[in-house]
């Protein structure tokens, strides 16, 4: 509650955001909202407790993922990989405007890259997609004393997919919020050895990978998706709401012309390298829907265009 009130007081009606990492020194002239160190420590403790509870739910040791996290307390001169984003926006925020140079969150679906994300806000405004593809308001009873827990890509990887990724979208920008992301430290190796030792089968896609590379790859993938979704349609006039032929025949991630395009159960089409990737992940990289290789069928629109 103190940190949320601090955000409102610090920004004083301006829509802005501030990113806090434990151990980072303030630059000359840089100001920070009050209570950030205390909020970071409190939310970090809650996030670690949530990770322990998830491990226990999977019948693993509660400390099984601790070696992947920053030390607590941090060594001298070391900056935390985890981060706390404090933000304040209000109803005067115009469509398409940016926060701290970042794209507007609006209602675009998002997925976090870390283990778990905790969100505290003074008003509700986050919808989460359930396994059936339906969106629902997840923080409808949210207040300053409540936290919303979201699971990220890194947790899904180290649990071999047993913990699904939370896909969410922000539907109410008129609020103050704290977003704490528990992220693996850069030198960690993300692997599924605890899940394998527990007797679960591990699919080939869940190979050991350095956390730094995993985070970079996830960021590049998210950036590619965002760039594609934000491209203006080439259709004009009365048909601006319809997808152009080029968009139908383009890879939804790379934007390149599709080769040997196949349609997934969810309706998204992929070809070439990206098709191979979604088959290995067994998840659509656009909507996170499950992929059954036996259910794929050719994109006939693409075939007709080639003819």
């Amino acid at each position: 509650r103190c940190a949320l009130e601090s955000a409102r007081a610090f920004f004083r009606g301006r829509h802005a955001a501030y990113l806090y990492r434990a151990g980072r020194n303030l630059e000359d002239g840089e100001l920070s909202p009050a209570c950030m160190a205390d909020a970071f420590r409190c939310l970090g403790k809650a996030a670690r407790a949530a990770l322990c509870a998830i491990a226990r739910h999977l019948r693993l040791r509660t400390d099984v993922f601790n070696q992947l996290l920053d030390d607590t307390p941090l060594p001298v001169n070391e900056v935390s990989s985890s981060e706390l984003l404090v933000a304040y926006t209000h109803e005067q925020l115009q469509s398409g405007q940016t926060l701290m140079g970042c794209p507007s969150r609006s209602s675009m679906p998002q997925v976090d890259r870390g283990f778990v994300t905790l969100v505290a806000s003074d008003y509700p405004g986050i919808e989460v997609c359930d396994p059936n593809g339906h969106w629902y308001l997840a923080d409808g009873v949210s207040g300053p004393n409540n936290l919303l827990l979201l699971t990220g890509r890194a947790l899904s990887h180290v649990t071999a997919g047993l913990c699904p990724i939370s896909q969410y979208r922000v539907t109410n920008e008129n609020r103050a919020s704290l977003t704490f992301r528990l992220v693996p430290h850069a030198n960690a190796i993300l692997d599924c050895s605890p899940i394998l030792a527990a007797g679960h089968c591990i699919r080939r896609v869940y190979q050991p990978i350095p956390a730094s590379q995993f985070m970079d790859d996830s960021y590049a993938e998210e950036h590619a998706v965002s760039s594609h979704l934000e491209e203006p349609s080439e259709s004009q006039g009365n048909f601006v709401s319809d997808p152009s032929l080029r968009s139908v025949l383009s890879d939804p991630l790379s934007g390149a012309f599709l080769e040997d395009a196949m349609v997934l159960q969810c309706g998204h089409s992929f070809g070439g390298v990206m098709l191979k990737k979604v088959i290995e992940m067994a998840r659509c990289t656009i909507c996170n829907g499950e992929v059954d290789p036996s259910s794929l069928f050719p994109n006939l629109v693409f075939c007709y265009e080639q003819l």
Side-chain angles (χ1 to χ4, degrees):
R1 183 185 297 273
C2 290
L4 289 172
E5 292 176 354
S6 172
R8 285 186 172 274
F10 181 78
F11 296 126
R12 296 186 183 278
R14 295 178 293 113
H15 33 266
Y18 182 87
L19 187 65
Y20 177 89
R21 280 196 175 97
R24 185 180 73 85
N25 295 323
L26 294 178
E27 299 178 359
D28 292 340
E30 181 182 354
L31 298 176
S32 170
C35 305
M36 290 299 98
D38 292 334
F40 186 94
R41 183 165 51 251
C42 179
L43 291 173
K45 184 176 180 180
R48 285 172 177 262
L51 197 60
C52 289
I54 291 171
R56 185 167 60 249
H57 176 72
L58 297 175
R59 301 184 183 279
L60 304 174
R61 297 193 328 270
T62 55
D63 63 348
V64 70
F65 301 123
N66 284 2
Q67 77 277 8
L68 304 176
L69 305 174
D70 292 320
D71 293 333
T72 303
L74 284 172
V76 178
N77 297 325
E78 184 171 319
V79 179
S80 171
S81 297
S82 300
E83 59 188 28
L84 172 62
L85 178 68
V86 52
Y88 174 65
T89 53
H90 57 86
E91 58 190 4
Q92 295 180 4
L93 181 63
Q94 299 298 318
S95 177
Q97 206 164 351
T98 60
L99 291 176
M100 302 289 284
C102 299
S104 173
R105 292 175 294 175
S106 63
S107 59
M108 182 182 297
Q110 303 177 57
V111 171
D112 281 333
R113 290 171 282 156
F115 288 123
V116 297
T117 297
L118 296 179
V119 183
S121 60
D122 50 3
Y123 290 101
I126 293 183
E127 291 185 348
V128 174
C129 188
D130 68 16
N132 296 319
H134 300 139
W135 291 91
Y136 67 94
L137 187 63
D139 58 350
V141 294
S142 179
N145 297 323
N146 302 105
L147 294 174
L148 175 64
L149 172 68
L150 302 166
T151 51
R153 293 183 187 273
L155 180 61
S156 180
H157 187 89
V158 298
T159 60
L162 294 179
C163 282
I165 299 171
S166 298
Q167 187 179 21
Y168 66 96
R169 61 189 182 190
V170 178
T171 59
N172 177 18
E173 296 279 7
N174 185 22
R175 61 187 194 153
S177 63
L178 303 171
T179 303
F180 179 87
R181 296 183 174 92
L182 186 65
V183 178
H185 65 77
N187 297 325
I189 301 296
L190 304 183
D191 64 54
C192 304
S193 53
I195 300 297
L196 183 62
H200 297 283
C201 295
I202 308 299
R203 287 181 290 178
R204 186 177 59 179
V205 65
Y206 297 108
Q207 296 295 318
I209 181 174
S212 57
Q213 179 183 342
F214 180 87
M215 300 298 282
D216 289 344
D217 291 348
S218 298
Y219 176 80
E221 182 177 312
E222 292 165 9
H223 181 71
V225 173
S226 298
S227 298
H228 179 76
L229 291 176
E230 291 173 3
E231 287 180 356
S233 172
E234 295 185 0
S235 303
Q236 300 294 332
N238 295 329
F239 302 97
V240 291
S241 62
D242 295 331
S244 66
L245 180 60
R246 177 171 179 172
S247 68
V248 173
L249 302 179
S250 299
D251 188 287
L253 291 181
S254 66
F257 196 66
L258 288 173
E259 297 179 1
D260 300 324
M262 302 293 286
V263 182
L264 310 184
Q265 287 176 299
C266 59
H268 293 119
S269 296
F270 294 89
V273 176
M274 294 311 303
L275 176 62
K276 180 180 179 181
K277 183 174 182 179
V278 297
I279 292 177
E280 289 178 348
M281 294 177 61
R283 288 280 177 181
C284 174
T285 53
I286 301 299
C287 67
N288 201 38
E290 293 187 5
V291 174
D292 180 4
S294 64
S295 67
L296 302 182
F297 58 92
N299 187 326
L300 298 180
V301 174
F302 174 80
C303 296
Y304 293 150
E305 177 66 14
Q306 280 190 317
L307 293 175

